[in-house]
Amino acid sequence: SSREDGARFRALLGNDERAREEAAAYFEEHMPAYAAPLRTTVSPTMLQAGLRYNVIPSEARATLDVRLLPDDDPSALVETLRKVINDPIVEVTLAPRDGLPRPPGVSGIETDAFRMIQTAAAQNYDTVTIPQMGTGASDNAQLRSKGVQCYGVGPAVDAEDAPKGFGAHSDQERLREADLFRYSRFVWEIVTTMAARQR
């Protein structure tokens, strides 16, 4: 229930280590989108080895998609991976990516822009707005480091499929027509309200 989920969110911020671990384990099993921002995640996404099925490869390469928490040290993660792999022959390095490392920065919730998002969410979804760190990539970090207040409103989600764990880049990436129209209206109201305020 939403009340139980609220208690789990509060446990994540509390001092009871066992309650924090239980809440994190629950989100990991039942609500992965909420579990992912709790820790650095590593997913093996590309594996390359061998030229023929009957020849032992002399070289193999694995590429991991790493999503670091804002305060995590990339070099410390590399050392952790080296310890886990525990093989001096295996080389572990960070591949260059555009915009990394991402600069630190925070957007406030006491701004006109955030209040406009809150209003649009309440009108279109009959819900409250809760800020959270997203698991996807954007250029917001670079803009925040320059002092720009940035907010992402996330992609439109399907009310039927999202609770089942399907979403962006999943095996089932679809959207009901009604959800698309509601999301479009939500974004339109935010943009037009902000544009009117700038006049």
Coordinates of all heavy atoms in Angstrom, one line a residue, residues 57-98:
P57 N 39.3 -18.2 -26.9 CA 39.7 -16.9 -27.3 C 40.9 -16.4 -26.5 O 41.1 -16.8 -25.3 CB 38.5 -16.0 -26.9 CG 37.7 -16.8 -26.0 CD 38.0 -18.3 -26.3
S58 N 41.8 -15.7 -27.1 CA 43.0 -15.2 -26.5 C 42.7 -13.9 -25.8 O 43.5 -13.4 -24.9 CB 44.1 -15.0 -27.5 OG 43.7 -14.1 -28.5
E59 N 41.6 -13.3 -26.1 CA 41.3 -12.0 -25.5 C 39.7 -11.9 -25.4 O 39.0 -12.4 -26.2 CB 41.8 -10.9 -26.4 CG 41.5 -9.5 -25.8 CD 42.1 -8.4 -26.7 OE1 43.3 -8.2 -26.6 OE2 41.3 -7.7 -27.4
A60 N 39.3 -11.3 -24.3 CA 37.8 -11.1 -24.1 C 37.7 -9.7 -23.5 O 38.5 -9.2 -22.8 CB 37.2 -12.1 -23.2
R61 N 36.5 -9.1 -23.8 CA 36.2 -7.7 -23.3 C 34.8 -7.7 -22.8 O 33.9 -8.2 -23.5 CB 36.5 -6.7 -24.4 CG 36.1 -5.3 -24.1 CD 36.3 -4.4 -25.3 NE 37.6 -4.4 -25.8 CZ 38.5 -3.5 -25.7 NH1 38.2 -2.4 -25.0 NH2 39.7 -3.6 -26.2
A62 N 34.6 -7.1 -21.7 CA 33.2 -6.8 -21.2 C 33.1 -5.3 -20.9 O 34.0 -4.7 -20.4 CB 33.0 -7.6 -19.9
T63 N 32.0 -4.8 -21.4 CA 31.7 -3.4 -21.2 C 30.5 -3.3 -20.2 O 29.5 -4.0 -20.4 CB 31.3 -2.7 -22.5 OG1 32.4 -2.8 -23.4 CG2 31.0 -1.2 -22.2
L64 N 30.7 -2.5 -19.1 CA 29.7 -2.4 -18.1 C 29.1 -1.0 -18.1 O 29.8 0.0 -18.3 CB 30.3 -2.6 -16.7 CG 31.2 -3.9 -16.6 CD1 31.8 -3.9 -15.2 CD2 30.4 -5.1 -16.8
D65 N 27.8 -0.9 -18.0 CA 27.1 0.4 -17.9 C 27.1 0.7 -16.4 O 26.4 0.0 -15.6 CB 25.7 0.3 -18.5 CG 25.0 1.6 -18.3 OD1 25.7 2.7 -18.2 OD2 23.7 1.6 -18.4
V66 N 27.8 1.7 -16.0 CA 27.9 2.1 -14.6 C 27.2 3.4 -14.3 O 27.4 4.4 -15.0 CB 29.4 2.3 -14.1 CG1 29.5 2.7 -12.7 CG2 30.1 1.0 -14.3
R67 N 26.3 3.4 -13.4 CA 25.6 4.6 -13.0 C 26.0 5.0 -11.5 O 25.6 4.3 -10.6 CB 24.0 4.4 -13.0 CG 23.5 3.9 -14.4 CD 23.6 5.0 -15.4 NE 23.3 4.4 -16.8 CZ 22.1 4.6 -17.4 NH1 21.2 5.3 -16.8 NH2 22.0 4.1 -18.6
L68 N 26.9 5.9 -11.4 CA 27.4 6.3 -10.1 C 26.5 7.3 -9.4 O 25.9 8.2 -10.0 CB 28.8 7.1 -10.3 CG 30.0 6.2 -10.6 CD1 31.2 7.1 -11.1 CD2 30.4 5.4 -9.4
L69 N 26.4 7.2 -8.1 CA 25.7 8.2 -7.3 C 26.6 9.4 -7.4 O 27.8 9.4 -7.6 CB 25.6 7.7 -5.9 CG 24.6 6.5 -5.6 CD1 24.6 6.1 -4.2 CD2 23.2 6.8 -6.1
P70 N 25.9 10.6 -7.2 CA 26.6 11.9 -7.3 C 27.9 12.0 -6.5 O 28.9 12.6 -6.9 CB 25.6 12.9 -7.0 CG 24.3 12.3 -7.3 CD 24.5 10.8 -7.0
D71 N 27.9 11.4 -5.3 CA 29.0 11.6 -4.4 C 30.0 10.5 -4.5 O 31.0 10.5 -3.8 CB 28.5 11.7 -2.9 CG 27.7 12.9 -2.7 OD1 27.9 13.9 -3.4 OD2 26.8 12.9 -1.8
D72 N 29.8 9.5 -5.3 CA 30.7 8.3 -5.4 C 32.0 8.7 -6.2 O 31.9 9.5 -7.2 CB 30.0 7.1 -6.1 CG 29.2 6.4 -5.1 OD1 29.1 6.8 -3.9 OD2 28.5 5.4 -5.5
D73 N 33.1 8.1 -5.8 CA 34.4 8.4 -6.5 C 34.6 7.3 -7.6 O 34.7 6.1 -7.3 CB 35.5 8.3 -5.4 CG 36.9 8.5 -6.0 OD1 37.0 8.8 -7.2 OD2 37.8 8.4 -5.3
P74 N 34.7 7.7 -8.9 CA 34.9 6.7 -9.9 C 36.2 5.8 -9.7 O 36.1 4.7 -10.0 CB 35.1 7.6 -11.2 CG 34.4 8.9 -10.8 CD 34.6 9.1 -9.4
S75 N 37.2 6.4 -9.2 CA 38.5 5.6 -9.0 C 38.3 4.6 -7.9 O 38.8 3.5 -8.0 CB 39.7 6.5 -8.7 OG 39.4 7.3 -7.6
A76 N 37.5 4.9 -6.9 CA 37.2 3.9 -5.9 C 36.4 2.8 -6.4 O 36.6 1.6 -6.0 CB 36.5 4.6 -4.7
L77 N 35.4 3.1 -7.3 CA 34.7 2.0 -8.0 C 35.5 1.1 -8.8 O 35.4 -0.1 -8.7 CB 33.6 2.6 -8.9 CG 32.8 1.6 -9.7 CD1 31.9 0.7 -8.8 CD2 32.0 2.2 -10.8
V78 N 36.5 1.6 -9.5 CA 37.4 0.8 -10.3 C 38.2 -0.1 -9.3 O 38.4 -1.3 -9.6 CB 38.4 1.7 -11.1 CG1 39.5 0.9 -11.7 CG2 37.6 2.4 -12.2
E79 N 38.6 0.4 -8.2 CA 39.4 -0.5 -7.3 C 38.5 -1.6 -6.7 O 38.9 -2.7 -6.5 CB 39.9 0.4 -6.1 CG 41.2 1.2 -6.5 CD 42.3 0.3 -7.1 OE1 42.6 -0.7 -6.5 OE2 42.8 0.7 -8.2
T80 N 37.2 -1.2 -6.4 CA 36.3 -2.2 -5.9 C 36.1 -3.3 -7.0 O 36.1 -4.5 -6.6 CB 34.9 -1.6 -5.6 OG1 35.1 -0.6 -4.6 CG2 33.9 -2.6 -5.1
L81 N 35.9 -3.0 -8.2 CA 35.8 -4.0 -9.3 C 37.0 -4.8 -9.4 O 36.9 -6.1 -9.6 CB 35.5 -3.3 -10.6 CG 34.1 -2.6 -10.8 CD1 34.0 -1.8 -12.1 CD2 33.0 -3.6 -10.7
R82 N 38.2 -4.2 -9.3 CA 39.4 -5.0 -9.3 C 39.4 -6.1 -8.2 O 39.9 -7.2 -8.4 CB 40.6 -4.1 -9.3 CG 40.9 -3.3 -10.5 CD 42.2 -2.5 -10.4 NE 42.4 -1.8 -11.7 CZ 42.7 -0.5 -11.8 NH1 42.8 0.2 -10.7 NH2 42.8 0.1 -12.9
K83 N 39.0 -5.7 -7.0 CA 39.0 -6.6 -5.9 C 38.0 -7.7 -6.1 O 38.3 -8.9 -5.8 CB 38.7 -5.8 -4.6 CG 39.8 -5.0 -4.1 CD 39.5 -4.2 -2.9 CE 40.6 -3.2 -2.5 NZ 40.2 -2.4 -1.3
V84 N 36.8 -7.4 -6.6 CA 35.8 -8.4 -6.9 C 36.3 -9.4 -7.9 O 36.1 -10.6 -7.8 CB 34.5 -7.7 -7.3 CG1 33.5 -8.7 -7.8 CG2 33.9 -6.9 -6.1
I85 N 36.9 -8.9 -9.0 CA 37.3 -9.7 -10.1 C 38.5 -10.6 -9.6 O 38.6 -11.8 -10.0 CB 37.7 -8.9 -11.3 CG1 36.5 -8.2 -11.9 CG2 38.4 -9.8 -12.4 CD1 36.7 -7.2 -12.9
N86 N 39.4 -10.0 -8.8 CA 40.5 -10.7 -8.2 C 41.3 -11.5 -9.2 O 41.6 -12.7 -9.0 CB 39.9 -11.6 -7.1 CG 41.0 -12.1 -6.2 OD1 42.1 -11.5 -6.0 ND2 40.8 -13.2 -5.5
D87 N 41.7 -10.9 -10.3 CA 42.6 -11.5 -11.3 C 43.5 -10.5 -11.9 O 43.0 -9.6 -12.6 CB 41.7 -12.2 -12.3 CG 42.5 -13.0 -13.3 OD1 43.7 -12.8 -13.4 OD2 41.9 -13.9 -13.9
P88 N 44.8 -10.6 -11.6 CA 45.7 -9.5 -12.1 C 45.8 -9.4 -13.6 O 46.2 -8.4 -14.1 CB 47.1 -9.9 -11.4 CG 46.9 -11.3 -11.1 CD 45.5 -11.6 -10.8
I89 N 45.4 -10.4 -14.3 CA 45.4 -10.4 -15.8 C 44.3 -9.5 -16.3 O 44.5 -8.9 -17.4 CB 45.3 -11.9 -16.3 CG1 46.5 -12.7 -15.9 CG2 45.2 -11.8 -17.8 CD1 46.4 -14.1 -16.3
V90 N 43.2 -9.4 -15.6 CA 42.1 -8.6 -16.1 C 42.4 -7.1 -15.8 O 42.7 -6.7 -14.7 CB 40.8 -9.0 -15.4 CG1 39.7 -8.1 -15.8 CG2 40.5 -10.5 -15.7
E91 N 42.3 -6.3 -16.9 CA 42.5 -4.9 -16.8 C 41.1 -4.2 -16.6 O 40.2 -4.5 -17.4 CB 43.2 -4.4 -18.0 CG 43.4 -2.9 -18.0 CD 44.0 -2.4 -19.3 OE1 44.3 -3.2 -20.2 OE2 44.2 -1.2 -19.5
V92 N 41.0 -3.3 -15.7 CA 39.7 -2.6 -15.4 C 40.0 -1.1 -15.6 O 40.9 -0.5 -14.9 CB 39.2 -2.9 -14.0 CG1 37.9 -2.1 -13.8 CG2 39.0 -4.4 -13.7
T93 N 39.3 -0.5 -16.5 CA 39.5 0.9 -16.8 C 38.1 1.6 -17.0 O 37.2 0.9 -17.4 CB 40.4 1.2 -18.0 OG1 39.7 0.6 -19.2 CG2 41.8 0.6 -17.8
L94 N 38.1 2.9 -16.8 CA 36.9 3.7 -17.1 C 37.0 4.1 -18.6 O 38.0 4.7 -19.0 CB 36.8 4.9 -16.2 CG 36.4 4.6 -14.8 CD1 36.4 5.9 -14.0 CD2 35.0 4.0 -14.7
A95 N 36.0 3.8 -19.4 CA 35.9 4.2 -20.8 C 35.5 5.7 -20.8 O 34.7 6.2 -20.0 CB 35.0 3.4 -21.6
P96 N 36.1 6.5 -21.7 CA 35.7 7.9 -21.8 C 34.3 8.0 -22.3 O 33.9 7.3 -23.2 CB 36.7 8.5 -22.9 CG 37.2 7.3 -23.6 CD 37.1 6.1 -22.7
R97 N 33.5 8.9 -21.7 CA 32.2 9.2 -22.2 C 32.0 10.7 -22.2 O 32.6 11.4 -21.4 CB 31.1 8.6 -21.2 CG 31.0 7.1 -21.4 CD 30.0 6.6 -20.5 NE 28.6 7.1 -20.8 CZ 27.5 6.7 -20.1 NH1 27.6 5.9 -19.1 NH2 26.4 7.2 -20.5
D98 N 31.2 11.2 -23.1 CA 31.0 12.6 -23.2 C 30.3 13.1 -21.9 O 29.4 12.5 -21.4 CB 30.0 13.0 -24.4 CG 30.7 12.7 -25.7 OD1 31.9 12.6 -25.7 OD2 29.9 12.5 -26.7

